[in-house]
Every structure is written in C-alpha cells, then in structure tokens.
C-alpha cells in the first residue's frame, strides 16, 4: 500500500466561508478522503502544526507527498523545505497542485521563478491530454472540462518538462502547460494545475483519477538507493609502471 501525506497550508478554509462550504474538512481533508477510498494509506499535515506537520518520522514514512499552498508560501520554514527536497532526491514522490507552483519546494526543485499569468473570471477550462499513453492519464478521455476555474496562462517560467501530459485552454483564450513531470535525483515530481480554492475542482472524478494515477506513477522505485562518494573498485586494478 502506498503511504501518502497530503499537505495543505489550510489558511483559505479559516478565512473564506465559500472555501469552507466547498471543503468542509479542508482541501487536505477532501483530497485525503478520495485517496483513502482509492486504497491509499493517507496522512494529512498543515502549516500551523509543529514542523508544519512534516516531522522526520512523517517524511520518512511518506512514499508520495501531495502539496497545496497559496497564501503563506513565505511562512514555510527553509529547513523544512530542505528536508522535503532531500526526501525527493532520495526517492519520495512529490505532487504539486495549483498555486503550489509558487511554493518554496517547487521553486527550489525547478530553479526558476515559476511565475505565470492568472485571472479569476469563472471561465471554462479544457485540459487536453497530449501524452495519451502515459499512466497518469489512464482512464481519462481526450480532455477534462471544468465549468469554472481560475486561469493560468503562458509563459509559465519552468524548465522544459521531462513529459508534458496536459495542455489547458481557457475561455478567455490563454493556454497553459497544466500537467508536467520531472525527475529530480531518485524522485519524481508532477505539477498539476487545476484546484483553485473557491471552485469544487477536487470533487471532480476525473481530477481525482489523475491525482491517484500520479501518485502511483510517482511512488519510489523498490530498489536500494545508489551509493555516492568515494568508491572501492569492483575489480582488481593492475598497478601500472
């Protein structure tokens, strides 16, 4: 069974009654709920917990970390970001959702500003599958259509993805690279765009399916980690005169 930790800053839910109505248990609670129904072992963590809920014990037991943040990126402590980064480099999967593009951990792993255009105008989003053979889109049709979402537009200041899985079109005319995979060290990273807090996006079955597929894709490989540093020879080295 895959162990998943769902991290959410949990600030919109405290401040905005619209968000509380849509996600009564918080965005983290909503995501954890459908993951549990999907057969994952889940744990939640939030910003205001000790060590943001990401203690060494929690991180060491996490196969895949799901990250949602928006209002309080700067409040995430740098030492926690460094611990998460090291776990990713050691093999832990990371799924970064929506406004998590500006999180410290995503920007650290990408090495760029991760900036973009945005607009809140209740507009339609159509996420086109552009890599139909990829396991992340198993069970998904040619596109996912969301009646209302926040617009994110290009240019998205990220490194070229290892694989581009989704490209979004918005009613206002913009497009966006909405599903991007990366490998960092021994770990896998998937950025997935939809999920603005005032829309019920995480109740959409196709969105849920993509996140569950992504977790299965991102889980650590079952193998010993490579050994780094000074190494003894595997064979005898002949002494050369």
């Amino acid at each position: 069974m895959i162990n998943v930790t769902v991290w959410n800053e949990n600030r919109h839910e405290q401040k905005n009654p619209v968000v509380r109505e849509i996600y009564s248990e918080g965005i983290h609670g909503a995501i954890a709920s459908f993951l549990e129904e999907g057969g994952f072992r889940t744990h939640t963590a939030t910003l205001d917990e000790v060590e943001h809920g990401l203690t060494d014990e929690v991180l060491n037991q996490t196969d895949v970390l799901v990250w949602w943040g928006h209002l309080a990126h700067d409040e995430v402590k740098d030492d926690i970001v460094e611990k998460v980064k090291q776990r990713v480099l050691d093999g832990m999967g990371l799924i970064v959702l929506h406004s998590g593009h500006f999180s410290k951990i995503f920007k650290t792993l990408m090495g760029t500003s991760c900036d973009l255009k945005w607009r809140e105008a209740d507009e339609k989003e159509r996420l086109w599958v552009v890599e139909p053979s990829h396991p992340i889109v198993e069970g998904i049709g040619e596109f996912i259509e969301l009646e209302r979402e926040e617009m994110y537009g290009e240019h998205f200041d990220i490194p070229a993805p290892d694989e581009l899985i989704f490209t979004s079109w918005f009613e206002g005319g913009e497009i966006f690279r909405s599903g991007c995979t990366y490998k960092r060290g021994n770990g896998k990273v998937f950025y997935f765009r939809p999920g603005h807090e005032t829309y019920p996006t995480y109740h959409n079955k196709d969105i849920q399916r993509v996140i569950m597929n992504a977790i299965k894709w991102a889980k650590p490989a079952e193998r010993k980690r490579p050994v780094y540093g000074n190494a003894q020879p595997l064979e005898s080295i002949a002494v050369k005169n």
Side-chain angles (χ1 to χ4, degrees):
M1 185 177 290
I2 302 174
N3 295 309
V4 182
T5 297
V6 182
W7 191 90
N8 173 28
E9 67 183 31
N10 196 34
R11 289 290 173 81
H12 285 286
E13 297 88 333
Q14 311 304 317
K15 298 173 179 289
N16 190 333
V18 174
V19 181
R20 281 199 302 274
E21 183 177 353
I22 296 170
Y23 299 112
S24 59
E25 301 299 321
I27 291 172
H28 54 298
I31 294 173
S33 179
F34 72 72
L35 292 180
E36 287 173 1
E37 291 178 6
F40 300 91
R41 184 182 292 115
T42 64
H43 174 81
T44 62
T46 58
L47 179 66
D48 291 328
E49 295 177 48
V50 175
E51 295 186 61
H52 308 322
L54 300 175
T55 62
D56 289 342
E57 181 180 7
V58 168
L59 286 174
N60 289 337
Q61 294 176 356
T62 299
D63 296 317
V64 180
L65 176 62
V66 179
W67 191 283
W68 197 102
H70 184 202
L71 291 176
H73 297 311
D74 290 344
E75 294 182 43
V76 178
K77 296 177 181 177
D78 292 341
D79 63 322
I80 302 299
V81 174
E82 183 60 26
K83 286 200 303 182
V84 173
K85 173 187 171 183
Q86 290 304 316
R87 282 288 292 125
V88 171
L89 296 179
D90 194 42
M92 182 182 74
L94 177 65
I95 312 299
V96 177
L97 300 174
H98 190 58
S99 46
H101 71 91
F102 253 167
S103 63
K104 286 183 178 180
I105 182 58
F106 190 63
K107 291 199 292 185
T108 295
L109 289 168
M110 295 300 103
T112 57
S113 75
C114 300
D115 212 345
L116 45 79
K117 297 182 180 71
W118 63 274
R119 177 176 62 244
E120 291 184 45
D122 289 354
E123 58 196 286
K124 180 188 298 182
E125 176 181 7
R126 190 173 291 136
L127 296 103
W128 286 94
V129 175
V130 295
E131 187 56 74
S133 66
H134 201 281
I136 286 178
V137 294
E138 182 177 341
I140 302 299
E142 286 193 298
F143 59 84
I144 300 171
E145 189 161 299
L146 300 173
E147 182 181 352
R148 294 184 303 151
E149 251 293 353
E150 179 182 16
M151 185 280 292
Y152 280 5
E154 295 288 347
H155 173 246
F156 188 16
D157 186 22
I158 52 173
D162 294 339
E163 301 162 303
L164 181 60
I165 312 300
F166 290 99
T167 298
S168 283
W169 166 88
F170 291 89
E171 194 172 347
E174 288 83 2
I175 62 169
F176 191 75
R177 288 167 290 168
S178 288
C180 304
T181 72
Y182 296 92
K183 292 177 182 176
R184 291 294 184 266
N186 295 284
K188 298 177 182 177
V189 179
F190 179 55
Y191 173 74
F192 190 41
R193 197 219 71 82
H196 186 62
E197 66 276 359
T198 58
Y199 302 125
T201 300
Y202 296 122
H203 296 307
N204 180 288
K205 295 300 182 183
D206 283 340
I207 298 299
Q208 294 177 1
R209 180 68 181 265
V210 170
I211 293 172
M212 289 189 284
N213 288 346
I215 288 169
K216 293 174 185 176
W217 168 83
K219 70 180 180 66
E222 295 182 4
R223 62 182 299 275
K224 291 183 178 180
R225 291 285 160 261
V227 176
Y228 301 102
N230 184 261
Q232 295 300 310
L234 297 176
E235 314 293 346
S236 296
I237 299 173
V239 177
K240 295 179 176 62
N241 294 326

